[in-house]
Amino acid sequence: MNSGKTLRVGMLGCGAVGSEVARLIAVNQSDLAQRSGARLELVKIGIRNLAVPSRANISQELLTTDLESIVSDPEIDLVIEVIGGIEPARALILSALENKKSVVTANKALLAKHGGELFAAADKNGVDLYYEASVAGAIPILRPLRESLVGDHVQRIMGIVNGTTNFILTKMDEKGAPFADALAEAQSLGFAEADPTADVEGFDAAAKAAILASLAFHSRVTDADVFREGITQVTDTDVAVAKSLDLVIKLLAIAELTKDGAISVRVHPTLISRTHPLASVRESFNAVFVEAESAGAMMFFGRGAGGTPTASAILGDLVAVARHRVSGGVGPRESDYAERIIAPMGSTRTQYLIRLDVADRPGVLASVAQTFSKHDVSIQTVRQTGLEDEAELIIMTHKASDAALAATVADLKSLDAVKRVASVIRVEGMST
Ligand code: HSE
């Protein structure tokens, strides 16, 4: 019910997401008022450059280049931040919180680096800092972790949280395309940026992994805690071999509790069974697979990027923080009471698929097997394909620690019979 109150909203940024937020606030005004209990009025939009023409539908008198004037304006109650990046977003959000404005942001890089400082400022000032749009775009995943699953014990999260890399890996899988061709297609269709580093090197997914791990395990996890490996080394041969084994390669953000209660958090290309629910997540879609002690396995699927889907998550948060403002309180917040430690990557245990180019002569398999055994890495299967005096060995291990596997690979490289370690890819979600 509308209380008759008006809440004034200021927005920092007006790109693909911001302009959709502005449009949706305008077209849904009556519903948003009924749902939040107050009329939501977008009164100011801060942008860096007034000359950018892509805001044809935005009323020009709302625009200002004085971003600070939005976060310090006593008439503004709620602030939406969609400029991205660390600064000036961090200083502006801190200033908004200090000025008792609740903030809605989509800024994963900022939250993964400075979340602790920002949440403390929100707490101190008795306002909300909501950020559903920062991970997996439109997909409601942060609220379920923070609220619906707060009575359970999350054990593991595996997410496809970057649409660009999922699109590239899908094209490599469907067409047998090399990485460079699939990236070029993603760029031509607007799925990948001209500089695709943040996506293909896993930085974007690592920030999202830190946010997911913090919420799931009630501990403060930052981007620096996340082991990160991108997809630029994944070849069309890796994809073809995966297919022949009924596996598929996905860039997964994985956060799990070790048996000692530490947090293992990482982003890397991962082989999963083609029957795993995440294997069916194709093109630029995102999905987050959650395993909790009592709830069991769940999967959240949808659009992880794009102006309108991301704006949906922002409007959901906007209504939530407006409701809290109308009722005079703040909403449920994350906690970091558990203070779990981060497990070093070397102690993380997974299976591995290793491809080796070797000489094809008596004793080679024995010396390779001996090297695995020396580091206590157990081999599950070996497949050999040969051509004249050379062969390729495709070795699947049982679970081993990352440190033991790295030592095995270093030793394999020094064996006479091993011409090349062609690839090493982690395997998840299988039975051993
Ligand atoms: N660049 C991201 C992606 C979307 O490709 O999924 C924003 O996080």
mmCIF file of all heavy atoms in Angstrom, residues 163-194 196 200 283-284:
data_model
loop_
_atom_site.group_PDB
_atom_site.id
_atom_site.type_symbol
_atom_site.label_atom_id
_atom_site.label_comp_id
_atom_site.label_asym_id
_atom_site.label_seq_id
_atom_site.Cartn_x
_atom_site.Cartn_y
_atom_site.Cartn_z
ATOM 1 N N GLY A 163 28.757 -14.460 -18.462
ATOM 2 C CA GLY A 163 28.079 -14.823 -19.698
ATOM 3 C C GLY A 163 28.999 -14.838 -20.904
ATOM 4 O O GLY A 163 28.842 -15.653 -21.817
ATOM 5 N N THR A 164 29.967 -13.928 -20.920
ATOM 6 C CA THR A 164 30.884 -13.841 -22.062
ATOM 7 C C THR A 164 31.654 -15.143 -22.239
ATOM 8 O O THR A 164 31.722 -15.707 -23.332
ATOM 9 C CB THR A 164 31.877 -12.679 -21.836
ATOM 10 O OG1 THR A 164 31.129 -11.487 -21.596
ATOM 11 C CG2 THR A 164 32.794 -12.495 -23.015
ATOM 12 N N THR A 165 32.239 -15.620 -21.148
ATOM 13 C CA THR A 165 33.042 -16.847 -21.250
ATOM 14 C C THR A 165 32.158 -18.060 -21.495
ATOM 15 O O THR A 165 32.565 -18.994 -22.192
ATOM 16 C CB THR A 165 33.890 -17.048 -19.983
ATOM 17 O OG1 THR A 165 33.058 -16.825 -18.842
ATOM 18 C CG2 THR A 165 35.065 -16.092 -19.949
ATOM 19 N N ASN A 166 30.928 -18.037 -20.965
ATOM 20 C CA ASN A 166 30.053 -19.175 -21.229
ATOM 21 C C ASN A 166 29.651 -19.208 -22.693
ATOM 22 O O ASN A 166 29.556 -20.288 -23.293
ATOM 23 C CB ASN A 166 28.821 -19.142 -20.315
ATOM 24 C CG ASN A 166 28.210 -20.521 -20.164
ATOM 25 O OD1 ASN A 166 28.929 -21.505 -19.949
ATOM 26 N ND2 ASN A 166 26.906 -20.618 -20.315
ATOM 27 N N PHE A 167 29.458 -18.025 -23.277
ATOM 28 C CA PHE A 167 29.146 -17.950 -24.706
ATOM 29 C C PHE A 167 30.330 -18.510 -25.518
ATOM 30 O O PHE A 167 30.154 -19.335 -26.422
ATOM 31 C CB PHE A 167 28.866 -16.493 -25.106
ATOM 32 C CG PHE A 167 28.544 -16.327 -26.557
ATOM 33 C CD1 PHE A 167 27.246 -16.457 -27.011
ATOM 34 C CD2 PHE A 167 29.557 -16.068 -27.487
ATOM 35 C CE1 PHE A 167 26.943 -16.325 -28.366
ATOM 36 C CE2 PHE A 167 29.265 -15.934 -28.833
ATOM 37 C CZ PHE A 167 27.956 -16.068 -29.276
ATOM 38 N N ILE A 168 31.548 -18.079 -25.181
ATOM 39 C CA ILE A 168 32.740 -18.526 -25.929
ATOM 40 C C ILE A 168 32.903 -20.043 -25.814
ATOM 41 O O ILE A 168 33.107 -20.749 -26.814
ATOM 42 C CB ILE A 168 33.999 -17.795 -25.403
ATOM 43 C CG1 ILE A 168 33.932 -16.304 -25.754
ATOM 44 C CG2 ILE A 168 35.282 -18.434 -25.939
ATOM 45 C CD1 ILE A 168 34.998 -15.438 -25.094
ATOM 46 N N LEU A 169 32.786 -20.564 -24.590
ATOM 47 C CA LEU A 169 32.972 -22.014 -24.399
ATOM 48 C C LEU A 169 31.851 -22.805 -25.086
ATOM 49 O O LEU A 169 32.078 -23.904 -25.599
ATOM 50 C CB LEU A 169 33.042 -22.345 -22.904
ATOM 51 C CG LEU A 169 34.309 -21.834 -22.197
ATOM 52 C CD1 LEU A 169 34.196 -21.993 -20.680
ATOM 53 C CD2 LEU A 169 35.570 -22.555 -22.703
ATOM 54 N N THR A 170 30.655 -22.230 -25.135
ATOM 55 C CA THR A 170 29.548 -22.901 -25.839
ATOM 56 C C THR A 170 29.855 -23.007 -27.327
ATOM 57 O O THR A 170 29.660 -24.059 -27.954
ATOM 58 C CB THR A 170 28.221 -22.126 -25.628
ATOM 59 O OG1 THR A 170 27.927 -22.083 -24.229
ATOM 60 C CG2 THR A 170 27.064 -22.790 -26.359
ATOM 61 N N LYS A 171 30.381 -21.912 -27.913
ATOM 62 C CA LYS A 171 30.698 -21.939 -29.353
ATOM 63 C C LYS A 171 31.845 -22.912 -29.624
ATOM 64 O O LYS A 171 31.862 -23.596 -30.654
ATOM 65 C CB LYS A 171 31.064 -20.534 -29.856
ATOM 66 C CG LYS A 171 29.903 -19.568 -29.802
ATOM 67 C CD LYS A 171 28.707 -20.067 -30.630
ATOM 68 C CE LYS A 171 27.391 -19.600 -30.054
ATOM 69 N NZ LYS A 171 26.210 -20.194 -30.628
ATOM 70 N N MET A 172 32.817 -22.965 -28.730
ATOM 71 C CA MET A 172 33.918 -23.918 -28.911
ATOM 72 C C MET A 172 33.371 -25.353 -28.874
ATOM 73 O O MET A 172 33.792 -26.218 -29.642
ATOM 74 C CB MET A 172 34.992 -23.720 -27.831
ATOM 75 C CG MET A 172 35.755 -22.407 -27.982
ATOM 76 S SD MET A 172 36.954 -22.103 -26.653
ATOM 77 C CE MET A 172 38.296 -23.215 -27.142
ATOM 78 N N ASP A 173 32.411 -25.587 -27.988
ATOM 79 C CA ASP A 173 31.836 -26.926 -27.832
ATOM 80 C C ASP A 173 30.937 -27.282 -29.010
ATOM 81 O O ASP A 173 31.008 -28.385 -29.548
ATOM 82 C CB ASP A 173 31.042 -26.966 -26.520
ATOM 83 C CG ASP A 173 30.526 -28.355 -26.205
ATOM 84 O OD1 ASP A 173 31.365 -29.248 -25.972
ATOM 85 O OD2 ASP A 173 29.291 -28.550 -26.209
ATOM 86 N N GLU A 174 30.115 -26.310 -29.455
ATOM 87 C CA GLU A 174 29.139 -26.608 -30.513
ATOM 88 C C GLU A 174 29.781 -26.722 -31.888
ATOM 89 O O GLU A 174 29.410 -27.549 -32.698
ATOM 90 C CB GLU A 174 28.096 -25.490 -30.576
ATOM 91 C CG GLU A 174 27.018 -25.623 -29.548
ATOM 92 C CD GLU A 174 26.081 -24.403 -29.537
ATOM 93 O OE1 GLU A 174 26.280 -23.469 -30.346
ATOM 94 O OE2 GLU A 174 25.172 -24.409 -28.722
ATOM 95 N N LYS A 175 30.753 -25.809 -32.149
ATOM 96 C CA LYS A 175 31.296 -25.725 -33.512
ATOM 97 C C LYS A 175 32.693 -26.275 -33.626
ATOM 98 O O LYS A 175 33.277 -26.257 -34.715
ATOM 99 C CB LYS A 175 31.356 -24.251 -33.948
ATOM 100 C CG LYS A 175 30.042 -23.521 -33.973
ATOM 101 C CD LYS A 175 30.303 -22.092 -34.438
ATOM 102 C CE LYS A 175 29.034 -21.288 -34.583
ATOM 103 N NZ LYS A 175 29.330 -19.890 -34.940
ATOM 104 N N GLY A 176 33.318 -26.619 -32.492
ATOM 105 C CA GLY A 176 34.719 -27.027 -32.515
ATOM 106 C C GLY A 176 35.629 -25.844 -32.824
ATOM 107 O O GLY A 176 36.764 -25.997 -33.278
ATOM 108 N N ALA A 177 35.134 -24.619 -32.569
ATOM 109 C CA ALA A 177 35.893 -23.410 -32.917
ATOM 110 C C ALA A 177 37.073 -23.222 -31.977
ATOM 111 O O ALA A 177 36.979 -23.521 -30.798
ATOM 112 C CB ALA A 177 34.976 -22.202 -32.824
ATOM 113 N N PRO A 178 38.208 -22.691 -32.503
ATOM 114 C CA PRO A 178 39.297 -22.304 -31.608
ATOM 115 C C PRO A 178 38.863 -21.113 -30.744
ATOM 116 O O PRO A 178 37.944 -20.367 -31.133
ATOM 117 C CB PRO A 178 40.437 -21.883 -32.551
ATOM 118 C CG PRO A 178 40.009 -22.247 -33.917
ATOM 119 C CD PRO A 178 38.523 -22.453 -33.905
ATOM 120 N N PHE A 179 39.563 -20.920 -29.620
ATOM 121 C CA PHE A 179 39.226 -19.836 -28.693
ATOM 122 C C PHE A 179 39.124 -18.489 -29.412
ATOM 123 O O PHE A 179 38.158 -17.734 -29.220
ATOM 124 C CB PHE A 179 40.265 -19.775 -27.559
ATOM 125 C CG PHE A 179 40.127 -18.567 -26.691
ATOM 126 C CD1 PHE A 179 39.127 -18.501 -25.726
ATOM 127 C CD2 PHE A 179 40.973 -17.476 -26.850
ATOM 128 C CE1 PHE A 179 38.978 -17.368 -24.935
ATOM 129 C CE2 PHE A 179 40.823 -16.344 -26.066
ATOM 130 C CZ PHE A 179 39.827 -16.288 -25.109
ATOM 131 N N ALA A 180 40.133 -18.167 -30.255
ATOM 132 C CA ALA A 180 40.185 -16.833 -30.884
ATOM 133 C C ALA A 180 38.953 -16.592 -31.753
ATOM 134 O O ALA A 180 38.396 -15.483 -31.766
ATOM 135 C CB ALA A 180 41.454 -16.688 -31.715
ATOM 136 N N ASP A 181 38.490 -17.631 -32.479
ATOM 137 C CA ASP A 181 37.310 -17.457 -33.347
ATOM 138 C C ASP A 181 36.046 -17.255 -32.508
ATOM 139 O O ASP A 181 35.180 -16.440 -32.844
ATOM 140 C CB ASP A 181 37.112 -18.687 -34.246
ATOM 141 C CG ASP A 181 38.233 -18.811 -35.277
ATOM 142 O OD1 ASP A 181 39.181 -17.993 -35.231
ATOM 143 O OD2 ASP A 181 38.157 -19.730 -36.116
ATOM 144 N N ALA A 182 35.943 -18.038 -31.424
ATOM 145 C CA ALA A 182 34.750 -17.920 -30.564
ATOM 146 C C ALA A 182 34.727 -16.548 -29.885
ATOM 147 O O ALA A 182 33.663 -15.931 -29.758
ATOM 148 C CB ALA A 182 34.737 -19.038 -29.522
ATOM 149 N N LEU A 183 35.912 -16.058 -29.486
ATOM 150 C CA LEU A 183 35.980 -14.714 -28.883
ATOM 151 C C LEU A 183 35.564 -13.654 -29.904
ATOM 152 O O LEU A 183 34.786 -12.743 -29.591
ATOM 153 C CB LEU A 183 37.402 -14.443 -28.370
ATOM 154 C CG LEU A 183 37.685 -12.999 -27.921
ATOM 155 C CD1 LEU A 183 36.780 -12.588 -26.761
ATOM 156 C CD2 LEU A 183 39.158 -12.842 -27.514
ATOM 157 N N ALA A 184 36.061 -13.801 -31.144
ATOM 158 C CA ALA A 184 35.715 -12.820 -32.190
ATOM 159 C C ALA A 184 34.204 -12.817 -32.425
ATOM 160 O O ALA A 184 33.590 -11.754 -32.592
ATOM 161 C CB ALA A 184 36.472 -13.142 -33.477
ATOM 162 N N GLU A 185 33.577 -14.005 -32.405
ATOM 163 C CA GLU A 185 32.121 -14.058 -32.600
ATOM 164 C C GLU A 185 31.406 -13.366 -31.433
ATOM 165 O O GLU A 185 30.457 -12.601 -31.644
ATOM 166 C CB GLU A 185 31.659 -15.520 -32.715
ATOM 167 C CG GLU A 185 30.176 -15.608 -33.026
ATOM 168 C CD GLU A 185 29.655 -17.038 -33.172
ATOM 169 O OE1 GLU A 185 30.474 -17.984 -33.232
ATOM 170 O OE2 GLU A 185 28.412 -17.181 -33.213
ATOM 171 N N ALA A 186 31.903 -13.623 -30.213
ATOM 172 C CA ALA A 186 31.291 -12.980 -29.032
ATOM 173 C C ALA A 186 31.415 -11.463 -29.145
ATOM 174 O O ALA A 186 30.470 -10.726 -28.820
ATOM 175 C CB ALA A 186 31.965 -13.471 -27.753
ATOM 176 N N GLN A 187 32.556 -10.997 -29.636
ATOM 177 C CA GLN A 187 32.742 -9.543 -29.770
ATOM 178 C C GLN A 187 31.823 -8.970 -30.844
ATOM 179 O O GLN A 187 31.219 -7.922 -30.657
ATOM 180 C CB GLN A 187 34.209 -9.218 -30.061
ATOM 181 C CG GLN A 187 35.058 -9.363 -28.810
ATOM 182 C CD GLN A 187 36.546 -9.281 -29.070
ATOM 183 O OE1 GLN A 187 37.029 -9.799 -30.078
ATOM 184 N NE2 GLN A 187 37.279 -8.652 -28.168
ATOM 185 N N SER A 188 31.695 -9.711 -31.970
ATOM 186 C CA SER A 188 30.875 -9.171 -33.055
ATOM 187 C C SER A 188 29.399 -9.125 -32.660
ATOM 188 O O SER A 188 28.640 -8.295 -33.146
ATOM 189 C CB SER A 188 31.077 -9.968 -34.341
ATOM 190 O OG SER A 188 30.431 -11.210 -34.224
ATOM 191 N N LEU A 189 28.985 -9.994 -31.748
ATOM 192 C CA LEU A 189 27.582 -9.991 -31.314
ATOM 193 C C LEU A 189 27.358 -9.114 -30.082
ATOM 194 O O LEU A 189 26.253 -9.058 -29.535
ATOM 195 C CB LEU A 189 27.133 -11.427 -31.000
ATOM 196 C CG LEU A 189 27.042 -12.346 -32.220
ATOM 197 C CD1 LEU A 189 26.812 -13.795 -31.799
ATOM 198 C CD2 LEU A 189 25.925 -11.892 -33.154
ATOM 199 N N GLY A 190 28.431 -8.469 -29.618
ATOM 200 C CA GLY A 190 28.287 -7.558 -28.474
ATOM 201 C C GLY A 190 28.305 -8.251 -27.123
ATOM 202 O O GLY A 190 28.028 -7.637 -26.101
ATOM 203 N N PHE A 191 28.647 -9.559 -27.085
ATOM 204 C CA PHE A 191 28.715 -10.261 -25.792
ATOM 205 C C PHE A 191 30.038 -10.002 -25.090
ATOM 206 O O PHE A 191 30.137 -10.121 -23.880
ATOM 207 C CB PHE A 191 28.542 -11.774 -25.963
ATOM 208 C CG PHE A 191 27.147 -12.178 -26.308
ATOM 209 C CD1 PHE A 191 26.868 -12.836 -27.482
ATOM 210 C CD2 PHE A 191 26.106 -11.882 -25.446
ATOM 211 C CE1 PHE A 191 25.567 -13.205 -27.806
ATOM 212 C CE2 PHE A 191 24.802 -12.234 -25.747
ATOM 213 C CZ PHE A 191 24.535 -12.900 -26.939
ATOM 214 N N ALA A 192 31.092 -9.719 -25.879
ATOM 215 C CA ALA A 192 32.406 -9.495 -25.261
ATOM 216 C C ALA A 192 32.856 -8.073 -25.557
ATOM 217 O O ALA A 192 32.579 -7.520 -26.620
ATOM 218 C CB ALA A 192 33.423 -10.492 -25.806
ATOM 219 N N GLU A 193 33.548 -7.500 -24.590
ATOM 220 C CA GLU A 193 34.077 -6.137 -24.745
ATOM 221 C C GLU A 193 35.242 -6.154 -25.736
ATOM 222 O O GLU A 193 35.861 -7.201 -25.961
ATOM 223 C CB GLU A 193 34.640 -5.647 -23.403
ATOM 224 C CG GLU A 193 33.705 -5.776 -22.237
ATOM 225 C CD GLU A 193 32.743 -4.613 -22.137
ATOM 226 O OE1 GLU A 193 33.023 -3.558 -22.733
ATOM 227 O OE2 GLU A 193 31.697 -4.776 -21.488
ATOM 228 N N ALA A 194 35.585 -4.956 -26.271
ATOM 229 C CA ALA A 194 36.764 -4.847 -27.132
ATOM 230 C C ALA A 194 38.003 -5.316 -26.362
ATOM 231 O O ALA A 194 38.856 -6.023 -26.895
ATOM 232 C CB ALA A 194 36.933 -3.410 -27.593
ATOM 233 N N PRO A 196 38.620 -7.819 -23.671
ATOM 234 C CA PRO A 196 37.847 -8.839 -22.958
ATOM 235 C C PRO A 196 38.537 -9.381 -21.700
ATOM 236 O O PRO A 196 38.080 -10.361 -21.101
ATOM 237 C CB PRO A 196 37.741 -9.957 -23.997
ATOM 238 C CG PRO A 196 39.024 -9.855 -24.771
ATOM 239 C CD PRO A 196 39.441 -8.393 -24.748
ATOM 240 N N VAL A 200 37.602 -12.908 -19.867
ATOM 241 C CA VAL A 200 38.273 -14.159 -20.266
ATOM 242 C C VAL A 200 39.380 -14.572 -19.290
ATOM 243 O O VAL A 200 39.726 -15.752 -19.209
ATOM 244 C CB VAL A 200 38.830 -14.110 -21.714
ATOM 245 C CG1 VAL A 200 37.699 -13.920 -22.709
ATOM 246 C CG2 VAL A 200 39.904 -13.058 -21.889
ATOM 247 N N GLU A 283 25.211 -20.783 -24.141
ATOM 248 C CA GLU A 283 25.201 -19.397 -24.647
ATOM 249 C C GLU A 283 25.658 -18.450 -23.535
ATOM 250 O O GLU A 283 26.566 -18.783 -22.800
ATOM 251 C CB GLU A 283 23.811 -19.045 -25.186
ATOM 252 C CG GLU A 283 23.320 -19.986 -26.283
ATOM 253 C CD GLU A 283 24.023 -19.783 -27.625
ATOM 254 O OE1 GLU A 283 24.500 -18.687 -27.906
ATOM 255 O OE2 GLU A 283 24.087 -20.756 -28.403
ATOM 256 N N SER A 284 24.994 -17.278 -23.422
ATOM 257 C CA SER A 284 25.463 -16.304 -22.423
ATOM 258 C C SER A 284 24.703 -16.414 -21.102
ATOM 259 O O SER A 284 24.804 -15.529 -20.251
ATOM 260 C CB SER A 284 25.343 -14.883 -22.984
ATOM 261 O OG SER A 284 23.983 -14.598 -23.238
#
